[in-house]
Amino acid sequence: MAQHSEELEMAPDAAEAWPDRIYDLLKEHNIRQVALVPDAGHSRLIRRCEADNEMRVVTLTTEEEGVAQLFGTWLGGQKGVLLMQSSGVGNCINMLSVAVAHRTPLPMIVTMRGEFGEFNPFQVPMGQATPAVLEAMGTLVRRADRPEDVAPTVEATLRLAFNTFRPTATLIGQRVLGAKTFGK
Amino acid sequence: MSGTTIETGKTGKMKRRPLVRELLRGRENAPGGGLLAIGGLGAPAWDITAAGDVPENLPLWGGMGGAAMMGLGLALAQPSRRVLVVTGDGEMLMGIGALATIAVQKPANLSVVVLDNEHYGETGMQETHTRHGVDLAGMARAAGIADSRLITDAKDVPALREAIHAGQGPLFAQVKIDESSEPLVLPPREAALLQARMREAILGPEAHLQ
């Protein structure tokens, strides 16, 4: 029998505060464009951004569109962030050369799959390769594996991107997203 | 110049250089401040450079498939400025999903013009899908970009130029051009410079203190 989708995806518990802390940080840093391909782990943050009239949420057909978009965003003097799941990192590889060559601030917040109690075999290859792929393309990568580490890590990622002009990423570990929402 | 005559090549189609020069003519007088142009990887980057290597140009040396989305990010960040993406059919096909994303965002100040020579010009003139009937303007229209034009005749270029400068888009145009290549007119290759000079042109010296 098919399982309900919410059992196959991993979303943070409604009581968890870290998605709201990420939103607060995006506001503090005056993030105006939020490019994303949805992930259940980002669902609460996405709702907060969509409710904010000062943020332009751009849903993408593929994550590399977001890398290109945020280059244009910075050209025009605004700041943006890219939200995606670890599988989406693989879709960005060559486009990351745009941020590297132009020295464009490019903060990414990545929810991890395929690494902690994963149910879906297809999530494992890219999940395991995510930090190596990002680092191979010149991205400064930091991880948060406990809820209380998420906000400080995201803040460091935003500061590194906009102060030092490069792609940066926070990887939010699958354990933080709540492995308990498994169906099995 | 009265009327618009754009030189044609052996195929009878418009040549790329005079076409791009005409689209950018008077760009400094576009409403909201000078028109900003992004040139997609390959010949379109050389074409916008040949029309004038100015800070308001961002010629791309890479990022194939990203030009239209770069235009979207820029258009959303600078809603009062006109943004024109000039790119090729191969580059557009690689990032074709951007047409859907742009259609949903509806940026009035963004125009995307595809110089369609039906070939990959930088790599030995292999045929692209448009050579075999793929209708980019039709795809853009189906995505929801209502003002999507297929242009094959120079007589339709003045109206295209006016619409780009007026900024009542989003606008998409697929312009069939002659496949002959033109002499290389290369922009600076240092991409950090290209980014910084456009930012300074838009934002002033504050660009470097953001």
Side-chain angles (χ1 to χ4, degrees), chain B residues 13-180:
Chain B
K13 298 175 187 171
M14 287 177 275
K15 295 181 81 165
R16 55 191 314 140
R17 287 278 162 85
L19 168 65
V20 170
R21 195 174 300 118
E22 173 59 17
L23 296 179
L24 290 172
R25 183 171 58 79
R27 60 185 293 178
E28 61 280 1
N29 300 321
L35 180 148
L36 306 169
I38 294 174
L41 174 65
W46 326 147
D47 294 334
I48 66 166
T49 302
D53 182 29
V54 295
E56 291 82 2
N57 274 358
L58 198 298
L60 284 159
W61 284 90
M64 185 163 175
M69 284 302 298
M70 295 173 193
L72 176 63
L74 177 56
L76 294 178
Q78 286 290 326
S80 66
R81 301 286 288 253
R82 305 297 181 257
V83 177
L84 170 62
V85 175
V86 180
T87 194
D89 43 310
E91 206 275 348
M92 190 71 246
L93 285 162
M94 186 174 283
I96 199 72
L99 295 179
T101 303
I102 290 166
V104 169
Q105 293 296 324
K106 296 185 172 55
N109 56 331
L110 176 64
S111 300
V112 178
V113 172
V114 174
L115 306 177
D116 181 10
N117 67 357
E118 304 181 348
H119 292 83
Y120 292 100
E122 300 298 305
T123 54
M125 293 303 282
Q126 300 87 352
E127 294 174 349
T128 67
H129 292 347
T130 62
R131 179 75 175 161
H132 302 276
V134 170
D135 174 5
L136 289 173
M139 292 171 86
R141 193 175 304 110
I145 300 176
D147 189 351
S148 294
R149 311 171 183 209
L150 171 63
I151 292 179
T152 57
D153 194 309
K155 71 175 170 39
D156 295 322
V157 171
L160 173 62
R161 177 185 166 277
E162 273 176 39
I164 291 166
H165 289 237
Q168 290 164 350
L171 179 152
F172 179 90
Q174 176 187 11
V175 187
K176 292 290 185 180
I177 61 164
D178 188 71
E179 63 192 56
S180 60

Side-chain angles (χ1 to χ4, degrees), chain A residues 5-141:
Chain A
S5 61
E6 63 268 28
E7 292 173 327
L8 294 172
E9 299 299 327
M10 294 182 177
D13 195 292
E16 288 284 2
W18 61 264
D20 292 334
R21 296 290 80 76
I22 297 179
Y23 171 78
D24 294 341
L25 285 165
L26 299 186
K27 293 301 286 180
E28 275 174 38
H29 287 263
N30 195 24
I31 299 294
R32 300 289 305 280
Q33 294 189 31
V34 180
L36 61 91
V37 173
D39 178 62
H42 277 316
S43 55
R44 182 182 175 92
L45 173 60
I46 293 168
R47 280 197 300 276
R48 293 294 309 273
C49 294
E50 284 174 337
D52 187 328
N53 289 332
E54 292 179 339
M55 285 184 177
R56 185 69 169 244
V57 174
V58 177
T59 301
L60 312 162
T61 70
T62 176
E63 291 81 355
E64 70 174 321
E65 286 182 3
V67 178
Q69 178 196 328
L70 295 184
F71 168 55
T73 304
W74 182 246
L75 278 176
Q78 284 190 347
K79 294 179 176 178
V81 68
L82 175 57
L83 310 181
M84 62 185 152
Q85 182 187 93
S86 48
S87 51
V89 169
N91 295 342
C92 295
I93 298 173
N94 181 58
M95 201 62 79
L96 287 168
S97 63
V98 170
V100 172
H102 290 97
R103 293 182 51 81
T104 309
L106 177 66
M108 298 172 266
I109 306 176
V110 181
T111 42
M112 294 300 297
R113 294 287 304 266
E115 60 166 27
F116 192 89
E118 180 58 61
F119 175 79
N120 182 347
F122 284 69
Q123 291 285 359
V124 175
M126 195 59 230
Q128 291 298 306
T130 289
V133 161
L134 284 170
E135 287 175 346
M137 288 305 293
T139 304
L140 297 186
V141 179

